[in-house]
mmCIF file of all heavy atoms in Angstrom:
data_model
loop_
_atom_site.group_PDB
_atom_site.id
_atom_site.type_symbol
_atom_site.label_atom_id
_atom_site.label_comp_id
_atom_site.label_asym_id
_atom_site.label_seq_id
_atom_site.Cartn_x
_atom_site.Cartn_y
_atom_site.Cartn_z
ATOM 1 N N SER K 67 15.064 -34.459 32.892
ATOM 2 C CA SER K 67 16.051 -35.258 32.164
ATOM 3 C C SER K 67 15.468 -35.617 30.795
ATOM 4 O O SER K 67 16.165 -35.635 29.791
ATOM 5 C CB SER K 67 16.418 -36.508 32.929
ATOM 6 O OG SER K 67 15.365 -37.438 33.054
ATOM 7 N N LEU K 79 20.634 -31.814 15.954
ATOM 8 C CA LEU K 79 19.998 -31.804 14.605
ATOM 9 C C LEU K 79 19.777 -30.407 14.115
ATOM 10 O O LEU K 79 19.034 -30.214 13.108
ATOM 11 C CB LEU K 79 18.665 -32.583 14.665
ATOM 12 C CG LEU K 79 18.723 -34.033 15.023
ATOM 13 C CD1 LEU K 79 17.357 -34.635 15.161
ATOM 14 C CD2 LEU K 79 19.542 -34.839 14.017
ATOM 15 N N ILE K 103 9.260 -28.996 -16.890
ATOM 16 C CA ILE K 103 9.948 -30.226 -17.373
ATOM 17 C C ILE K 103 8.926 -31.366 -17.305
ATOM 18 O O ILE K 103 8.885 -32.166 -18.301
ATOM 19 C CB ILE K 103 11.142 -30.517 -16.470
ATOM 20 C CG1 ILE K 103 12.270 -29.489 -16.702
ATOM 21 C CG2 ILE K 103 11.720 -31.933 -16.773
ATOM 22 C CD1 ILE K 103 13.441 -29.648 -15.788
ATOM 23 N N LYS K 109 5.515 -37.727 -21.688
ATOM 24 C CA LYS K 109 5.455 -39.012 -22.302
ATOM 25 C C LYS K 109 6.819 -39.736 -22.283
ATOM 26 O O LYS K 109 6.912 -40.939 -22.727
ATOM 27 C CB LYS K 109 5.033 -38.892 -23.737
ATOM 28 C CG LYS K 109 3.624 -38.334 -23.894
ATOM 29 C CD LYS K 109 3.179 -38.264 -25.340
ATOM 30 C CE LYS K 109 1.812 -37.675 -25.503
ATOM 31 N NZ LYS K 109 1.350 -37.555 -26.906
ATOM 32 N N MET K 136 13.605 -35.024 9.966
ATOM 33 C CA MET K 136 12.453 -35.802 10.381
ATOM 34 C C MET K 136 12.858 -37.320 10.428
ATOM 35 O O MET K 136 12.464 -38.067 11.380
ATOM 36 C CB MET K 136 11.292 -35.641 9.407
ATOM 37 C CG MET K 136 10.022 -36.428 9.787
ATOM 38 S SD MET K 136 8.724 -36.104 8.650
ATOM 39 C CE MET K 136 8.436 -34.336 8.890
ATOM 40 N N GLY K 145 13.722 -44.938 20.162
ATOM 41 C CA GLY K 145 14.722 -45.244 21.289
ATOM 42 C C GLY K 145 14.155 -44.766 22.607
ATOM 43 O O GLY K 145 14.197 -45.498 23.630
ATOM 44 N N LEU K 146 13.660 -43.500 22.637
ATOM 45 C CA LEU K 146 13.130 -43.031 23.915
ATOM 46 C C LEU K 146 11.915 -43.767 24.372
ATOM 47 O O LEU K 146 11.764 -44.057 25.552
ATOM 48 C CB LEU K 146 12.820 -41.490 23.714
ATOM 49 C CG LEU K 146 12.209 -40.779 25.000
ATOM 50 C CD1 LEU K 146 13.264 -40.867 26.102
ATOM 51 C CD2 LEU K 146 11.902 -39.359 24.667
ATOM 52 N N LEU K 150 11.892 -45.796 27.959
ATOM 53 C CA LEU K 150 10.939 -45.452 29.017
ATOM 54 C C LEU K 150 10.037 -46.672 29.330
ATOM 55 O O LEU K 150 9.684 -46.855 30.515
ATOM 56 C CB LEU K 150 10.102 -44.256 28.545
ATOM 57 C CG LEU K 150 10.902 -42.915 28.485
ATOM 58 C CD1 LEU K 150 9.941 -41.855 27.884
ATOM 59 C CD2 LEU K 150 11.349 -42.529 29.865
ATOM 60 N N ALA K 172 14.399 -55.089 40.107
ATOM 61 C CA ALA K 172 15.804 -55.563 40.342
ATOM 62 C C ALA K 172 16.620 -55.646 39.050
ATOM 63 O O ALA K 172 17.751 -56.074 39.101
ATOM 64 C CB ALA K 172 15.784 -56.903 41.007
ATOM 65 N N PHE K 178 21.182 -47.511 32.920
ATOM 66 C CA PHE K 178 20.644 -47.245 34.260
ATOM 67 C C PHE K 178 20.806 -48.515 35.127
ATOM 68 O O PHE K 178 20.486 -49.667 34.648
ATOM 69 C CB PHE K 178 19.190 -46.828 34.197
ATOM 70 C CG PHE K 178 18.891 -45.562 33.514
ATOM 71 C CD1 PHE K 178 18.407 -45.496 32.235
ATOM 72 C CD2 PHE K 178 19.196 -44.348 34.166
ATOM 73 C CE1 PHE K 178 18.172 -44.268 31.607
ATOM 74 C CE2 PHE K 178 18.943 -43.118 33.539
ATOM 75 C CZ PHE K 178 18.510 -43.096 32.260
ATOM 76 N N TYR K 199 0.704 -45.056 31.482
ATOM 77 C CA TYR K 199 -0.084 -44.534 30.379
ATOM 78 C C TYR K 199 -1.530 -44.893 30.631
ATOM 79 O O TYR K 199 -1.909 -45.736 31.489
ATOM 80 C CB TYR K 199 0.385 -45.023 29.040
ATOM 81 C CG TYR K 199 0.580 -46.536 28.911
ATOM 82 C CD1 TYR K 199 -0.479 -47.285 28.294
ATOM 83 C CD2 TYR K 199 1.674 -47.141 29.312
ATOM 84 C CE1 TYR K 199 -0.334 -48.678 28.189
ATOM 85 C CE2 TYR K 199 1.849 -48.506 29.187
ATOM 86 C CZ TYR K 199 0.823 -49.259 28.590
ATOM 87 O OH TYR K 199 0.953 -50.629 28.476
ATOM 88 N N PRO K 216 0.357 -50.861 48.731
ATOM 89 C CA PRO K 216 -0.813 -50.561 47.911
ATOM 90 C C PRO K 216 -0.477 -49.541 46.795
ATOM 91 O O PRO K 216 0.540 -48.758 46.910
ATOM 92 C CB PRO K 216 -1.790 -49.935 48.943
ATOM 93 C CG PRO K 216 -0.858 -49.390 49.969
ATOM 94 C CD PRO K 216 0.329 -50.327 50.091
ATOM 95 N N ASP K 218 -0.634 -46.306 44.906
ATOM 96 C CA ASP K 218 -0.881 -44.953 45.429
ATOM 97 C C ASP K 218 -1.388 -43.951 44.347
ATOM 98 O O ASP K 218 -1.316 -42.747 44.510
ATOM 99 C CB ASP K 218 0.409 -44.363 46.047
ATOM 100 C CG ASP K 218 1.549 -44.330 45.075
ATOM 101 O OD1 ASP K 218 1.399 -44.884 43.995
ATOM 102 O OD2 ASP K 218 2.618 -43.706 45.468
ATOM 103 N N ARG K 244 1.357 -24.659 11.204
ATOM 104 C CA ARG K 244 0.696 -23.477 10.576
ATOM 105 C C ARG K 244 1.690 -22.376 10.378
ATOM 106 O O ARG K 244 1.619 -21.659 9.336
ATOM 107 C CB ARG K 244 -0.402 -23.035 11.533
ATOM 108 C CG ARG K 244 -1.257 -21.933 11.013
ATOM 109 C CD ARG K 244 -2.437 -21.645 11.958
ATOM 110 N NE ARG K 244 -3.307 -20.562 11.514
ATOM 111 C CZ ARG K 244 -4.343 -20.185 12.151
ATOM 112 N NH1 ARG K 244 -4.665 -20.693 13.335
ATOM 113 N NH2 ARG K 244 -5.055 -19.176 11.706
ATOM 114 N N GLU K 256 0.245 -23.891 -4.543
ATOM 115 C CA GLU K 256 -0.553 -24.396 -5.662
ATOM 116 C C GLU K 256 -0.156 -25.839 -6.054
ATOM 117 O O GLU K 256 -0.827 -26.471 -6.878
ATOM 118 C CB GLU K 256 -0.417 -23.479 -6.811
ATOM 119 C CG GLU K 256 -1.038 -22.096 -6.580
ATOM 120 C CD GLU K 256 -0.799 -21.134 -7.696
ATOM 121 O OE1 GLU K 256 -0.110 -21.570 -8.713
ATOM 122 O OE2 GLU K 256 -1.258 -19.968 -7.645
ATOM 123 N N VAL K 270 -3.522 -34.020 10.195
ATOM 124 C CA VAL K 270 -3.409 -35.457 10.447
ATOM 125 C C VAL K 270 -2.466 -35.739 11.647
ATOM 126 O O VAL K 270 -2.804 -36.525 12.562
ATOM 127 C CB VAL K 270 -2.867 -36.157 9.236
ATOM 128 C CG1 VAL K 270 -2.652 -37.663 9.516
ATOM 129 C CG2 VAL K 270 -3.817 -36.070 8.058
ATOM 130 N N ILE K 277 -5.243 -39.336 19.094
ATOM 131 C CA ILE K 277 -5.696 -40.723 19.000
ATOM 132 C C ILE K 277 -4.753 -41.714 19.723
ATOM 133 O O ILE K 277 -5.156 -42.591 20.482
ATOM 134 C CB ILE K 277 -5.869 -41.112 17.566
ATOM 135 C CG1 ILE K 277 -7.002 -40.295 16.925
ATOM 136 C CG2 ILE K 277 -6.169 -42.629 17.364
ATOM 137 C CD1 ILE K 277 -7.134 -40.527 15.407
ATOM 138 N N PHE K 282 0.619 -43.690 25.071
ATOM 139 C CA PHE K 282 1.926 -43.221 25.301
ATOM 140 C C PHE K 282 2.146 -42.905 26.751
ATOM 141 O O PHE K 282 1.194 -42.374 27.479
ATOM 142 C CB PHE K 282 2.226 -41.901 24.515
ATOM 143 C CG PHE K 282 2.352 -42.112 23.035
ATOM 144 C CD1 PHE K 282 2.008 -41.118 22.140
ATOM 145 C CD2 PHE K 282 2.912 -43.252 22.558
ATOM 146 C CE1 PHE K 282 2.165 -41.258 20.774
ATOM 147 C CE2 PHE K 282 3.105 -43.482 21.203
ATOM 148 C CZ PHE K 282 2.708 -42.452 20.290
ATOM 149 N N GLN K 320 21.223 -4.105 -4.735
ATOM 150 C CA GLN K 320 20.764 -2.737 -5.082
ATOM 151 C C GLN K 320 21.946 -1.754 -5.071
ATOM 152 O O GLN K 320 21.992 -0.850 -5.895
ATOM 153 C CB GLN K 320 19.672 -2.269 -4.103
ATOM 154 C CG GLN K 320 18.330 -3.033 -4.232
ATOM 155 C CD GLN K 320 17.303 -2.617 -3.224
ATOM 156 O OE1 GLN K 320 17.641 -1.870 -2.327
ATOM 157 N NE2 GLN K 320 16.058 -3.089 -3.381
ATOM 158 N N GLU K 321 22.827 -1.858 -4.127
ATOM 159 C CA GLU K 321 23.987 -0.984 -4.066
ATOM 160 C C GLU K 321 24.881 -1.222 -5.270
ATOM 161 O O GLU K 321 25.424 -0.271 -5.801
ATOM 162 C CB GLU K 321 24.733 -1.300 -2.756
ATOM 163 C CG GLU K 321 24.033 -0.820 -1.484
ATOM 164 C CD GLU K 321 24.845 -1.124 -0.248
ATOM 165 O OE1 GLU K 321 25.908 -1.759 -0.345
ATOM 166 O OE2 GLU K 321 24.356 -0.762 0.861
ATOM 167 N N ALA K 327 25.143 2.260 -12.125
ATOM 168 C CA ALA K 327 24.238 3.029 -12.950
ATOM 169 C C ALA K 327 24.839 4.428 -13.217
ATOM 170 O O ALA K 327 25.585 4.946 -12.423
ATOM 171 C CB ALA K 327 22.922 3.183 -12.172
ATOM 172 N N GLY K 331 21.580 12.747 -15.710
ATOM 173 C CA GLY K 331 22.001 13.663 -16.737
ATOM 174 C C GLY K 331 23.247 13.284 -17.495
ATOM 175 O O GLY K 331 23.664 14.012 -18.409
ATOM 176 N N THR K 349 44.379 16.982 -32.436
ATOM 177 C CA THR K 349 45.354 16.480 -33.427
ATOM 178 C C THR K 349 45.182 17.060 -34.801
ATOM 179 O O THR K 349 46.180 17.428 -35.446
ATOM 180 C CB THR K 349 45.238 14.945 -33.478
ATOM 181 O OG1 THR K 349 45.374 14.400 -32.178
ATOM 182 C CG2 THR K 349 46.360 14.391 -34.383
ATOM 183 N N LYS K 355 54.914 24.929 -35.347
ATOM 184 C CA LYS K 355 55.648 26.175 -35.586
ATOM 185 C C LYS K 355 56.188 26.254 -36.976
ATOM 186 O O LYS K 355 56.250 27.286 -37.580
ATOM 187 C CB LYS K 355 56.728 26.394 -34.602
ATOM 188 C CG LYS K 355 56.210 26.581 -33.100
ATOM 189 C CD LYS K 355 57.360 26.866 -32.192
ATOM 190 C CE LYS K 355 56.863 27.036 -30.754
ATOM 191 N NZ LYS K 355 57.969 27.275 -29.818
ATOM 192 N N ASP K 356 56.596 25.078 -37.489
ATOM 193 C CA ASP K 356 57.121 25.055 -38.812
ATOM 194 C C ASP K 356 56.066 25.473 -39.883
ATOM 195 O O ASP K 356 56.348 26.189 -40.890
ATOM 196 C CB ASP K 356 57.623 23.632 -39.197
ATOM 197 C CG ASP K 356 58.861 23.286 -38.339
ATOM 198 O OD1 ASP K 356 59.475 24.226 -37.770
ATOM 199 O OD2 ASP K 356 59.075 22.047 -38.156
ATOM 200 N N HIS K 394 44.179 22.629 -44.207
ATOM 201 C CA HIS K 394 45.302 23.379 -43.674
ATOM 202 C C HIS K 394 46.528 22.461 -43.544
ATOM 203 O O HIS K 394 46.895 22.026 -42.516
ATOM 204 C CB HIS K 394 44.963 23.970 -42.289
ATOM 205 C CG HIS K 394 43.972 25.054 -42.320
ATOM 206 N ND1 HIS K 394 44.225 26.292 -42.697
ATOM 207 C CD2 HIS K 394 42.628 24.952 -42.010
ATOM 208 C CE1 HIS K 394 43.077 27.002 -42.561
ATOM 209 N NE2 HIS K 394 42.067 26.248 -42.132
ATOM 210 N N ARG K 396 50.441 21.428 -45.155
ATOM 211 C CA ARG K 396 51.661 21.894 -45.919
ATOM 212 C C ARG K 396 52.061 20.763 -46.889
ATOM 213 O O ARG K 396 51.543 19.686 -46.807
ATOM 214 C CB ARG K 396 52.824 22.079 -44.925
ATOM 215 C CG ARG K 396 53.065 20.913 -44.064
ATOM 216 C CD ARG K 396 54.039 21.188 -42.962
ATOM 217 N NE ARG K 396 55.379 21.540 -43.574
ATOM 218 C CZ ARG K 396 56.468 21.703 -42.831
ATOM 219 N NH1 ARG K 396 56.436 21.620 -41.537
ATOM 220 N NH2 ARG K 396 57.624 21.970 -43.429
ATOM 221 N N LYS K 405 40.548 11.809 -40.808
ATOM 222 C CA LYS K 405 40.057 12.667 -41.889
ATOM 223 C C LYS K 405 40.654 12.157 -43.202
ATOM 224 O O LYS K 405 41.766 11.754 -43.324
ATOM 225 C CB LYS K 405 40.590 14.122 -41.717
ATOM 226 C CG LYS K 405 40.194 14.730 -40.431
ATOM 227 C CD LYS K 405 38.736 15.045 -40.355
ATOM 228 C CE LYS K 405 38.376 15.800 -39.100
ATOM 229 N NZ LYS K 405 36.941 16.117 -39.038
ATOM 230 N N GLY K 420 46.941 29.908 -58.610
ATOM 231 C CA GLY K 420 48.276 30.309 -59.146
ATOM 232 C C GLY K 420 48.073 30.980 -60.505
ATOM 233 O O GLY K 420 48.788 31.951 -60.830
#
Side-chain angles (χ1 to χ4, degrees):
S67 67
L79 298 176
I103 292 175
K109 298 182 180 180
M136 184 178 295
L146 180 60
L150 292 173
F178 295 104
Y199 52 97
D218 59 351
R244 187 175 179 180
E256 295 176 357
V270 177
I277 295 174
F282 288 149
Q320 291 178 352
E321 290 178 358
T349 304
K355 292 182 179 180
D356 294 338
H394 291 282
R396 55 188 295 187
K405 305 288 185 177

